[in-house]
Amino acid sequence: MNIRTLETVGAKTQRTQELGELAEIAIRELASAAGGVRAVHSAIARRTFAAVRLGVGPAVLPTQLMHDAIAAGTYASITAACTGAAKAVGAFSGGDEATEDDHRPSPSHTVFGAQTIAVLHGLIGDDMERSSRVLAYPMSIRVDGRPVVPKYRALATAFPDAGAYLVVFLHGLVETESAWRLGGRPTYGQRLDSEAGTTSIFLRYNTGRRIATNGADLSDLLEQLVPAWPVRVHRITLVGHSMGGLVSRSAAHHAAENGRRWVELLTDVFTLGTPHLGAPLARGVHVATAALAIAPETRPFANLLARRSAGVRDLIHGSITEDEGHASYADGFDVGAAADISVPEGVRHHHASAVITGNPRHPIGIFVGDGLVRTDSAGGRNKLRDIGLRPDDGLAINSAHHFTLLNDERVYEWMRRALVGPSSESSP
């Protein structure tokens, strides 16, 4: 069997495993949903039969026992069938009969497939890391959807025009590196490479893991990348959207605390719509979970919300260290507290925020910000907290939402000016 055939077999094996694991997760989640429906059904039935018992007395007991037995058997059969199917699919995905002429890509190598996996990562990525075999892949450099290992030969092949100034892009929750291509326009990275001589690197990571864990992985990845890069690296800039900004800050903090050498090359960090002080939606879900757990009829919905990933939980406060926040704390009405940690000294931190209204002082704009992150959180400062970001290094844009920040002319011009100065067109 020649090398090309081996590569084809390997690609098809990965594709089969990924498709099998996606199906396995879907069936397993269906079984879990059936259990939730059963819990709601049982709670409502108990309350209903209790009310009927007040009117007709013990005569209702045989009917209730028959109902409970039938319901229990039905739901148990559904759950068992789904669980058995998930196991069968998982076992099937482990085997593979490859054909040499089959060149279809694995789901993780396509835009749609990668986005599907990214949604699963955001929702249950920490659980997938324990239970999945191929879908919970590690943080990686991506070129055309495929991973590139941080070794000289692979990097030289993937980046034939490698330069000394690296700009590293990190996407946000339930996103992939394709998110930077919003609107089908050239990405910030492509434009910087063309106009400023940078080399842009796009990463993909499991957003359901703890932010501090991803931050440590980013720090370790950059520590491997710098000495393996085809040319000597002179400068590094990190650009993160939403959660990606927190991962960037976490990586810089980890590197400074652990003596990583790459951080000596870090000059700038850009955070775009990043919830440095936390996201209201994450706090709302935290409190809602506690409220829903009070009544038996709504408790299954609380259990569903409680399954949200550690990465989502870290967004309650914008936690970037292992000691800060909780990965598995009990949901309750108390949201706790968080520490204020900034980037290392000597690193300039630029921060962009958006409001959905034309007037930034409009009450709706102040209250909802870009729809997911409020402007004070994106700027890292409110009446109670301050992570040390300078207002002069910020950008606020109007009539824009959270995802506008991924590819917007105003954001790009601000970024380019901060890195290389005004263009000749805009100079007097």
Side-chain angles (χ1 to χ4, degrees), residues 196-427:
T198 62
T199 300
S200 295
I201 298 173
F202 294 88
L203 303 185
R204 186 190 300 178
Y205 64 100
N206 178 349
T207 58
R209 304 166 78 218
R210 290 215 65 182
I211 288 171
T213 304
N214 280 321
D217 283 357
L218 173 57
S219 179
D220 292 342
L221 177 61
L222 291 175
E223 190 75 357
Q224 299 174 56
L225 175 69
V226 169
W229 193 247
V231 300
R232 184 177 180 181
V233 179
H234 292 161
R235 182 179 177 185
I236 296 174
T237 288
L238 302 180
V239 182
H241 175 247
S242 196
M243 179 187 280
L246 296 175
V247 174
S248 298
R249 284 180 50 218
S250 179
H253 176 76
H254 177 275
E257 291 288 305
N258 293 275
R260 298 291 189 264
R261 300 193 63 178
W262 72 266
V263 77
E264 299 171 5
L265 303 171
L266 181 66
T267 61
D268 299 86
V269 173
F270 288 84
T271 58
L272 315 178
T274 293
H276 296 294
L277 308 183
L281 183 60
R283 286 193 289 269
V285 171
H286 177 76
V287 174
T289 303
L292 290 170
I294 294 175
E297 291 84 353
T298 57
R299 195 166 296 140
F301 300 105
N303 294 336
L304 177 63
L305 292 178
R307 292 189 61 211
R308 66 194 187 280
S309 67
V312 171
R313 290 177 180 272
D314 277 336
L315 293 179
I316 292 174
H317 295 299
S319 305
I320 66 170
T321 68
E322 290 288 352
D323 297 331
E324 188 187 12
H326 314 269
S328 58
Y329 52 74
D331 292 295
F333 296 102
D334 180 10
V335 296
D340 294 332
I341 302 170
S342 190
V343 293
E345 291 186 10
V347 178
R348 191 174 179 185
H349 193 142
H350 315 264
H351 48 96
S353 63
V355 292
I356 61 174
T357 55
N359 181 355
R361 297 186 179 181
H362 192 285
I364 294 178
I366 294 174
F367 183 72
V368 303
D370 64 16
L372 291 177
V373 178
R374 293 178 55 170
T375 54
D376 57 353
S377 185
R381 178 181 300 179
N382 61 19
K383 294 180 179 179
L384 300 177
R385 298 180 59 191
D386 183 358
I387 66 169
L389 305 187
R390 299 193 326 165
D392 290 346
D393 290 330
L395 171 72
I397 62 175
N398 306 331
S399 303
H401 55 76
H402 188 66
F403 299 101
T404 301
L405 296 166
L406 282 162
N407 199 336
D408 182 86
E409 183 63 31
R410 294 164 291 182
V411 175
Y412 173 72
E413 181 59 24
W414 165 72
M415 189 184 303
R416 189 190 58 73
R417 280 175 169 269
L419 295 180
V420 298
S423 63
S424 57
E425 292 83 353
S426 61
S427 300

Side-chain angles (χ1 to χ4, degrees), residues 102-175:
D102 192 343
H103 300 286
R104 290 173 297 171
S106 301
S108 63
H109 295 168
T110 67
V111 173
F112 178 78
Q115 183 57 60
T116 301
I117 297 169
V119 172
L120 291 174
H121 280 174
L123 296 175
I124 56 172
D126 51 342
D127 180 67
M128 289 175 64
E129 192 172 33
R130 294 186 292 270
S131 60
S132 297
R133 297 175 297 279
V134 293
L135 293 183
Y137 38 71
M139 177 178 287
S140 58
I141 301 166
R142 294 278 166 162
V143 174
D144 295 329
R146 297 178 180 273
V148 179
V149 295
K151 296 183 178 181
Y152 173 81
R153 188 179 298 276
L155 293 170
T157 301
F159 299 92
D161 300 318
Y165 181 7
L166 307 184
V167 182
V168 181
F169 288 85
L170 291 105
H171 59 75
L173 180 70
V174 302
E175 296 174 359

